[in-house]
């Protein structure tokens, strides 16, 4: 039975959102998937420690999805076993007035992982070509543009150019990028939103603002399709994961991250002859106490 899905959802060539799976789970049962995740988390923990020790590279994981697709729970279940000193999560909400006073990428630079770290963007710079494309009037808060008429094809082309250049710059300077879109169906999103209303312990997750955005679901899908086609590159690939089954999305995501770390050719630091000699002296001193 094939239990490695890390290459199955890599975007190569032209991407069509209508042809992308939302329910796929391979031949795994949920119980098998949960067990597989446990074993994969141990691999991730070891690789994260190696990344930290190596100290010459970093990993940026970009998570994008519609509301209720499972981003928060994926972060919890996939990264719950790594050393928190080597991992950071940055959640991007509506920009503040200070953030709007800079270019749209500025705040994302501030959240980048330093070398030796895994950084997770819960939403990201892609909001500028997703929610801000669905609601172009939001761009006026940047104080650069005079009218929504400014947001023409050239404007969006420049945005995609900026994102590609940003990601290429990061990749050329020691940051490996993995971008994951959790592809949840409209029916499954409806079910999860209703769960947030019907289950008291989940009420806090529900926002009335979710419903107007849900009404624009198809428009968002068009924007995701365009953004993924414009920006899935070898140096910053997109993976589109079926997310109707949260447990499967977690398994696929952790395998993608593990495979990415393994390809980074990480190494534990090698001691010089002098350092080895000093280490043996320290050992002897401790043993003779």
């Amino acid at each position: 039975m094939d239990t490695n899905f890390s290459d199955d959802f890599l975007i190569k060539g032209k991407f069509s959102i209508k042809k992308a799976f939302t329910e796929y789970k391979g031949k795994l049962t949920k119980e098998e998937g949960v067990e597989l995740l446990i074993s994969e988390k141990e691999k991730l923990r070891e690789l994260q420690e190696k990344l930290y020790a190596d100290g010459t590279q970093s990993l940026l994981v970009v998570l994008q999805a519609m509301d209720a697709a499972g981003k928060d729970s994926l972060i919890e279940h996939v990264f719950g076993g790594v050393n928190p000193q080597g991992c950071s999560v940055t959640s991007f909400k509506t920009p503040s007035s200070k953030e709007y006073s800079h270019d749209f990428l500025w705040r994302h630079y501030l959240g980048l992982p330093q070398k030796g770290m895994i950084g997770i963007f819960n939403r990201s710079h892609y909001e500028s070509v997703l929610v801000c494309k669905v609601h172009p009037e939001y761009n006026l808060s940047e104080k650069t543009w005079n009218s929504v008429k400014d947001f023409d094809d050239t404007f969006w082309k420049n945005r995609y150019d900026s994102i590609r250049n940003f990601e290429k710059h990061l990749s050329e300077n020691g940051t490996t990028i993995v971008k994951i879109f959790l592809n949840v169906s409209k029916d499954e999103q409806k079910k999860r939103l209703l769960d947030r209303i019907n289950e008291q312990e989940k009420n806090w997750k529900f926002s009335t603002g979710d419903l107007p955005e849900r009404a624009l679901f198809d428009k968002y899908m068009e924007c995701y399709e365009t953004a993924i086609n414009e920006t899935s590159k070898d140096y910053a690939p997109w993976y589109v994961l079926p997310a109707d089954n949260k447990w499967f999305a977690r398994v696929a995501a952790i395998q993608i991250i593990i495979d990415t770390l393994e390809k980074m050719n990480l190494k534990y630091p090698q001691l010089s002859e002098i350092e080895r000699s000093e280490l043996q002296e320290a050992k002897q001193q401790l043993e003779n106490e």
Side-chain angles (χ1 to χ4, degrees):
M1 178 175 61
D2 182 12
T3 57
N4 191 323
F5 306 94
S6 60
D7 292 329
D8 294 358
F9 307 108
L10 172 63
I11 300 305
K12 301 175 182 177
K14 188 71 172 177
F15 169 65
S16 170
I17 193 73
K18 292 182 179 179
K19 295 180 181 179
F21 295 112
T22 62
E23 292 188 84
Y24 182 84
K25 57 183 179 180
K27 297 180 180 179
L28 284 181
T29 65
K30 182 176 181 179
E31 292 72 21
E32 291 169 335
V34 170
E35 290 180 6
L36 182 57
L37 181 63
I38 292 171
S39 63
E40 297 289 63
K41 285 173 73 172
E42 179 57 26
K43 293 181 190 176
L44 179 59
R45 186 195 65 77
E46 293 172 358
L47 284 164
Q48 183 257 334
E49 181 179 305
K50 197 172 186 179
L51 173 70
Y52 190 84
D54 181 281
T56 65
Q57 303 178 68
S58 59
L59 174 66
L60 175 63
V61 179
V62 174
L63 290 178
Q64 287 288 157
M66 294 294 288
D67 292 326
K71 296 187 305 300
D72 292 344
S73 63
L74 184 144
I75 292 170
E76 176 186 356
H77 286 83
V78 169
F79 295 96
V82 303
N83 187 333
Q85 289 184 309
C87 185
S88 64
V89 180
T90 306
S91 296
F92 292 99
K93 308 293 185 183
T94 302
S96 65
S97 59
K98 179 178 180 179
E99 289 168 339
Y100 271 134
S101 295
H102 295 269
D103 70 90
F104 81 98
L105 289 171
W106 178 77
R107 65 177 183 155
H108 304 288
Y109 271 103
L110 301 182
L112 290 173
Q114 65 190 55
K115 287 181 172 59
M117 299 279 289
I118 295 175
I120 304 157
F121 280 4
N122 186 348
R123 299 190 188 276
S124 68
H125 44 293
Y126 281 92
E127 293 299 294
S128 292
V129 291
L130 295 169
V131 66
C132 291
K133 197 171 186 182
V134 174
H135 301 282
E137 66 276 11
Y138 291 176
N139 294 301
L140 295 174
S141 296
E142 294 180 8
K143 306 175 184 178
T144 303
W145 322 104
N146 297 316
S147 165
V148 291
K149 294 180 181 179
D150 293 330
F151 310 129
D152 55 12
D153 289 346
T154 299
F155 172 86
W156 296 114
K157 176 182 180 298
N158 290 338
R159 285 275 143 130
Y160 298 126
D161 283 344
S162 294
I163 289 173
R164 286 191 295 266
N165 291 336
F166 169 61
E167 293 177 346
K168 188 173 185 181
H169 171 75
L170 296 181
S171 72
E172 291 173 345
N173 287 274
T175 298
T176 297
I177 304 169
V178 168
K179 300 178 296 193
I180 295 174
F181 170 51
L182 299 180
N183 187 23
V184 70
S185 67
K186 194 173 183 180
D187 287 344
E188 180 62 21
Q189 187 198 49
K190 175 182 177 179
K191 176 181 175 297
R192 293 180 188 178
L193 291 174
L194 284 171
D195 286 344
R196 292 180 177 184
I197 295 172
N198 294 330
E199 299 176 31
Q200 187 173 357
E201 67 274 14
K202 294 183 179 180
N203 287 171
W204 65 276
K205 293 183 177 182
F206 184 79
S207 168
T208 53
D210 292 341
L211 297 184
E213 293 303 286
R214 174 175 163 77
L216 299 167
F217 192 96
D218 292 342
K219 178 63 175 176
Y220 272 103
M221 292 301 102
E222 292 175 11
C223 292
Y224 269 109
E225 181 177 275
T226 302
I228 290 168
N229 278 317
E230 289 282 347
T231 63
S232 191
K233 302 296 180 182
D234 291 342
Y235 55 81
W238 272 105
Y239 295 82
V240 177
L241 304 188
D244 282 1
N245 296 294
K246 287 185 178 182
W247 61 267
F248 179 79
R250 295 164 189 164
V251 168
I254 199 170
Q255 290 182 338
I256 290 164
I257 294 162
I258 286 171
D259 283 359
T260 301
L261 285 165
E262 289 178 338
K263 291 174 184 176
M264 289 167 68
N265 194 29
L266 302 169
K267 296 180 177 65
Y268 285 106
Q270 296 294 313
L271 299 181
S272 66
E273 290 298 327
I274 293 175
E275 289 171 326
R276 287 197 188 95
S277 177
E278 290 174 345
L279 197 66
Q280 290 303 314
E281 289 177 8
K283 177 182 177 181
Q284 186 175 5
Q285 181 177 338
L286 287 167
E287 289 176 342
N288 291 336
E289 284 184 356

PDB file of all heavy atoms in Angstrom, residues 54-66:
ATOM      1  N   ASP A  54      22.453  22.408  12.184  1.00  0.00           N
ATOM      2  CA  ASP A  54      23.157  22.816  10.966  1.00  0.00           C
ATOM      3  C   ASP A  54      23.325  24.331  10.923  1.00  0.00           C
ATOM      4  O   ASP A  54      24.423  24.842  10.658  1.00  0.00           O
ATOM      5  CB  ASP A  54      22.362  22.323   9.746  1.00  0.00           C
ATOM      6  CG  ASP A  54      23.013  22.675   8.433  1.00  0.00           C
ATOM      7  OD1 ASP A  54      22.874  23.838   8.010  1.00  0.00           O
ATOM      8  OD2 ASP A  54      23.643  21.799   7.816  1.00  0.00           O
ATOM      9  N   GLY A  55      22.229  25.050  11.156  1.00  0.00           N
ATOM     10  CA  GLY A  55      22.291  26.495  11.313  1.00  0.00           C
ATOM     11  C   GLY A  55      22.626  27.312  10.083  1.00  0.00           C
ATOM     12  O   GLY A  55      22.931  28.499  10.197  1.00  0.00           O
ATOM     13  N   THR A  56      22.572  26.693   8.899  1.00  0.00           N
ATOM     14  CA  THR A  56      22.915  27.436   7.686  1.00  0.00           C
ATOM     15  C   THR A  56      21.711  27.694   6.784  1.00  0.00           C
ATOM     16  O   THR A  56      21.817  28.432   5.802  1.00  0.00           O
ATOM     17  CB  THR A  56      23.964  26.675   6.856  1.00  0.00           C
ATOM     18  OG1 THR A  56      23.392  25.436   6.384  1.00  0.00           O
ATOM     19  CG2 THR A  56      25.213  26.376   7.676  1.00  0.00           C
ATOM     20  N   GLN A  57      20.574  27.077   7.106  1.00  0.00           N
ATOM     21  CA  GLN A  57      19.390  27.195   6.268  1.00  0.00           C
ATOM     22  C   GLN A  57      18.148  27.346   7.145  1.00  0.00           C
ATOM     23  O   GLN A  57      18.181  27.068   8.347  1.00  0.00           O
ATOM     24  CB  GLN A  57      19.217  25.947   5.393  1.00  0.00           C
ATOM     25  CG  GLN A  57      20.388  25.627   4.498  1.00  0.00           C
ATOM     26  CD  GLN A  57      20.154  24.361   3.714  1.00  0.00           C
ATOM     27  OE1 GLN A  57      19.293  24.302   2.829  1.00  0.00           O
ATOM     28  NE2 GLN A  57      20.914  23.317   4.033  1.00  0.00           N
ATOM     29  N   SER A  58      17.055  27.754   6.508  1.00  0.00           N
ATOM     30  CA  SER A  58      15.773  27.816   7.204  1.00  0.00           C
ATOM     31  C   SER A  58      14.687  27.282   6.276  1.00  0.00           C
ATOM     32  O   SER A  58      14.882  27.176   5.061  1.00  0.00           O
ATOM     33  CB  SER A  58      15.444  29.251   7.621  1.00  0.00           C
ATOM     34  OG  SER A  58      15.384  30.105   6.496  1.00  0.00           O
ATOM     35  N   LEU A  59      13.550  26.941   6.869  1.00  0.00           N
ATOM     36  CA  LEU A  59      12.415  26.431   6.111  1.00  0.00           C
ATOM     37  C   LEU A  59      11.207  27.312   6.386  1.00  0.00           C
ATOM     38  O   LEU A  59      10.865  27.569   7.552  1.00  0.00           O
ATOM     39  CB  LEU A  59      12.096  24.984   6.508  1.00  0.00           C
ATOM     40  CG  LEU A  59      10.825  24.384   5.881  1.00  0.00           C
ATOM     41  CD1 LEU A  59      10.989  24.243   4.367  1.00  0.00           C
ATOM     42  CD2 LEU A  59      10.510  23.018   6.502  1.00  0.00           C
ATOM     43  N   LEU A  60      10.565  27.789   5.336  1.00  0.00           N
ATOM     44  CA  LEU A  60       9.331  28.565   5.453  1.00  0.00           C
ATOM     45  C   LEU A  60       8.178  27.752   4.887  1.00  0.00           C
ATOM     46  O   LEU A  60       8.193  27.370   3.716  1.00  0.00           O
ATOM     47  CB  LEU A  60       9.451  29.892   4.702  1.00  0.00           C
ATOM     48  CG  LEU A  60       8.180  30.749   4.649  1.00  0.00           C
ATOM     49  CD1 LEU A  60       7.753  31.181   6.051  1.00  0.00           C
ATOM     50  CD2 LEU A  60       8.375  31.963   3.742  1.00  0.00           C
ATOM     51  N   VAL A  61       7.181  27.488   5.725  1.00  0.00           N
ATOM     52  CA  VAL A  61       5.973  26.767   5.311  1.00  0.00           C
ATOM     53  C   VAL A  61       4.832  27.776   5.244  1.00  0.00           C
ATOM     54  O   VAL A  61       4.467  28.386   6.249  1.00  0.00           O
ATOM     55  CB  VAL A  61       5.624  25.641   6.295  1.00  0.00           C
ATOM     56  CG1 VAL A  61       4.351  24.921   5.841  1.00  0.00           C
ATOM     57  CG2 VAL A  61       6.784  24.656   6.416  1.00  0.00           C
ATOM     58  N   VAL A  62       4.285  27.961   4.055  1.00  0.00           N
ATOM     59  CA  VAL A  62       3.185  28.895   3.837  1.00  0.00           C
ATOM     60  C   VAL A  62       1.885  28.099   3.769  1.00  0.00           C
ATOM     61  O   VAL A  62       1.754  27.196   2.937  1.00  0.00           O
ATOM     62  CB  VAL A  62       3.387  29.692   2.532  1.00  0.00           C
ATOM     63  CG1 VAL A  62       2.167  30.555   2.227  1.00  0.00           C
ATOM     64  CG2 VAL A  62       4.638  30.553   2.629  1.00  0.00           C
ATOM     65  N   LEU A  63       0.936  28.428   4.637  1.00  0.00           N
ATOM     66  CA  LEU A  63      -0.364  27.756   4.653  1.00  0.00           C
ATOM     67  C   LEU A  63      -1.450  28.734   4.224  1.00  0.00           C
ATOM     68  O   LEU A  63      -1.598  29.809   4.813  1.00  0.00           O
ATOM     69  CB  LEU A  63      -0.687  27.229   6.053  1.00  0.00           C
ATOM     70  CG  LEU A  63       0.138  26.051   6.569  1.00  0.00           C
ATOM     71  CD1 LEU A  63      -0.302  25.710   7.986  1.00  0.00           C
ATOM     72  CD2 LEU A  63      -0.013  24.834   5.662  1.00  0.00           C
ATOM     73  N   GLN A  64      -2.196  28.345   3.205  1.00  0.00           N
ATOM     74  CA  GLN A  64      -3.330  29.149   2.739  1.00  0.00           C
ATOM     75  C   GLN A  64      -4.561  28.258   2.631  1.00  0.00           C
ATOM     76  O   GLN A  64      -4.447  27.078   2.286  1.00  0.00           O
ATOM     77  CB  GLN A  64      -3.029  29.764   1.377  1.00  0.00           C
ATOM     78  CG  GLN A  64      -2.032  30.900   1.386  1.00  0.00           C
ATOM     79  CD  GLN A  64      -2.574  32.189   1.988  1.00  0.00           C
ATOM     80  OE1 GLN A  64      -1.799  33.028   2.433  1.00  0.00           O
ATOM     81  NE2 GLN A  64      -3.903  32.353   2.028  1.00  0.00           N
ATOM     82  N   ALA A  65      -5.721  28.843   2.898  1.00  0.00           N
ATOM     83  CA  ALA A  65      -6.958  28.070   2.801  1.00  0.00           C
ATOM     84  C   ALA A  65      -8.142  28.980   3.028  1.00  0.00           C
ATOM     85  O   ALA A  65      -8.012  30.095   3.556  1.00  0.00           O
ATOM     86  CB  ALA A  65      -6.980  26.940   3.830  1.00  0.00           C
ATOM     87  N   MET A  66      -9.303  28.489   2.672  1.00  0.00           N
ATOM     88  CA  MET A  66     -10.543  29.164   3.014  1.00  0.00           C
ATOM     89  C   MET A  66     -10.823  28.964   4.500  1.00  0.00           C
ATOM     90  O   MET A  66     -10.216  28.105   5.158  1.00  0.00           O
ATOM     91  CB  MET A  66     -11.688  28.603   2.177  1.00  0.00           C
ATOM     92  CG  MET A  66     -11.566  28.892   0.682  1.00  0.00           C
ATOM     93  SD  MET A  66     -11.704  30.652   0.279  1.00  0.00           S
ATOM     94  CE  MET A  66     -13.455  30.932   0.551  1.00  0.00           C
TER      95      MET A  66
END
